Amino acid sequence: KEFRNNVKPNWCPGCGDFSIQAAIQRAAANVGLEPEQLAVVSGIGCSGRISGYINAYGFHSIHGRALPIAQGLKLANRDLTVIASGGDGDGFAIGMGHTVHAIRRNVNITYIVMDNQIYGLTKGQTSPRSAVGFKTKSTPEGAIESTLSPLEIAMASGATFVAQSFSSDLKQLTSLIEEGIKHEGFSFINVFSPCVTFNKINTYDWFKENIINLNTVENYDSSNRIMAMTKLMESGGMITGLIYQDKTRKSYENQVVGFRPEPLAKQNLQISPTDFEKLVAEFK
Ligand code: SF4
């Protein structure tokens, strides 16, 4: 199964986004998908280009709006596996309203955020993920606003699948994406993805020194919500692995009464003229 296409990514050499592209391609193949069964919807930013770099249905959408499109796509065609993707600026600034509501809605899609803690495409401004004191062209005296904690927000919004990885750890990242695809409901995967061109603080070495892999944490239980929240707060959000999963809650589409499972395009929507008139009358 071939999820590679002939498009050469124009990311900077060394950008963390390359690994995320490779992990999505490997995970899709490992779970047995065919290219025509996968759709990748992206927002705007360097990361937003990913929808054109994978041999699947691709939709390069608008800034902060990948999630509404991805959810609509899934609800219209439940046979598709849908992955939404974008950067931390895209998902946690302009798109944050959509992110929290998509999390609590729990439509069965996977959301992968390429978190480089800066705006790369516009050449290096602070993002909601930048640390206090972070100096860029937009904050020459250092960022004043506090850093947003997306995973804690996800937990507080009722997430059913929360994971985090690092683009250097392709094995872990691939496996988490596989688990996210298989999870019934909204799976949220934040990935530390260094911007080698504009972020000289949060580098590969910096992440390696600061990350705690949950595999090394004795007796960690990813089904325990309080343990997940506590570990996130203790580590300042620097843990990687499967942080939390709730397998008991059904996805949005599996709870809507009378929602037919077959794709809209395959449903017989023929209606008699009498029934059509009745329907129109209801809306008058
Ligand atoms: Fe990657 Fe940064 Fe280059 Fe954008 S500017 S492609 S995020 S390294």
Side-chain angles (χ1 to χ4, degrees):
K1 308 198 176 72
E2 189 50 84
F3 288 90
R4 275 177 294 184
N5 61 20
N6 295 326
V7 184
K8 191 170 178 290
N10 64 350
W11 291 316
C12 309
C15 176
D17 295 356
F18 283 101
S19 301
I20 298 171
Q21 176 200 1
I24 293 173
Q25 288 165 326
R26 289 180 189 195
N30 290 349
V31 298
L33 292 175
E34 299 290 342
E36 65 272 19
Q37 294 173 312
L38 174 67
V40 180
V41 183
S42 61
I44 296 294
C46 295
S47 52
R49 297 170 181 148
I50 197 163
S51 53
Y53 298 159
I54 292 173
N55 183 32
Y57 289 111
F59 193 139
H60 193 165
S61 73
I62 51 175
H63 204 195
R65 304 291 181 264
L67 283 173
I69 292 162
Q71 289 169 95
L73 191 54
K74 182 69 182 180
L75 294 179
N77 185 350
R78 290 163 69 178
D79 287 350
L80 272 180
T81 292
V82 178
I83 291 177
S85 193
D88 47 309
D90 187 73
F92 305 148
I94 187 170
M96 194 60 188
H98 291 300
T99 301
V100 290
H101 291 290
I103 288 168
R104 52 184 284 273
R105 192 168 296 124
N106 204 34
V107 172
N108 188 15
I109 63 173
T110 298
Y111 183 37
I112 301 169
V113 178
M114 305 179 189
D115 180 1
N116 55 22
Q117 317 197 341
I118 198 165
Y119 283 90
L121 188 71
T122 46
K123 302 193 184 300
Q125 296 81 22
T126 54
S127 86
R129 291 283 295 133
S130 302
V132 174
F134 190 66
K135 289 189 178 172
T136 65
K137 285 170 243 170
S138 62
T139 51
E141 302 300 326
I144 297 166
E145 293 151 304
S146 61
T147 311
L148 190 135
S149 305
L151 303 179
E152 288 168 43
I153 292 173
M155 291 296 301
S157 305
T160 57
F161 185 104
V162 177
Q164 185 159 253
S165 191
F166 176 33
S167 56
S168 262
D169 192 345
L170 190 56
K171 195 172 164 208
Q172 181 200 52
L173 178 55
T174 304
S175 146
L176 287 172
I177 296 173
E178 284 176 45
E179 291 309 310
I181 290 173
K182 287 189 247 170
H183 175 74
E184 183 193 331
F186 188 90
S187 44
F188 175 46
I189 306 172
N190 194 62
V191 188
F192 297 128
S193 178
C195 170
V196 292
T197 302
F198 294 110
N199 191 336
K200 304 296 183 188
I201 305 291
N202 308 111
T203 60
Y204 283 96
D205 285 343
W206 184 88
F207 281 113
K208 276 178 198 156
E209 278 165 27
N210 287 285
I211 280 171
I212 303 162
N213 189 322
L214 283 174
N215 284 343
T216 64
V217 177
E218 219 175 310
N219 298 325
Y220 186 78
D221 175 5
S222 59
S223 68
N224 186 324
R225 196 160 183 262
I226 293 173
M227 192 181 280
M229 201 60 161
T230 306
K231 206 71 205 163
L232 277 170
M233 293 179 85
E234 277 175 3
S235 68
M238 294 304 291
I239 47 179
T240 61
L242 177 58
I243 296 165
Y244 179 69
Q245 184 172 20
D246 175 0
K247 294 182 180 172
T248 62
R249 194 172 142 207
K250 287 184 175 173
S251 65
Y252 175 88
E253 56 272 39
N254 282 337
Q255 291 190 68
V256 176
V257 177
F259 189 32
R260 290 161 59 178
E262 65 269 37
L264 276 179
K266 292 186 185 165
Q267 290 180 19
N268 180 0
L269 298 177
Q270 282 178 358
I271 185 166
S272 73
T274 322
D275 287 344
F276 181 74
E277 288 305 325
K278 269 192 212 159
L279 192 63
V280 171
E282 281 179 29
F283 290 95
K284 275 186 180 166

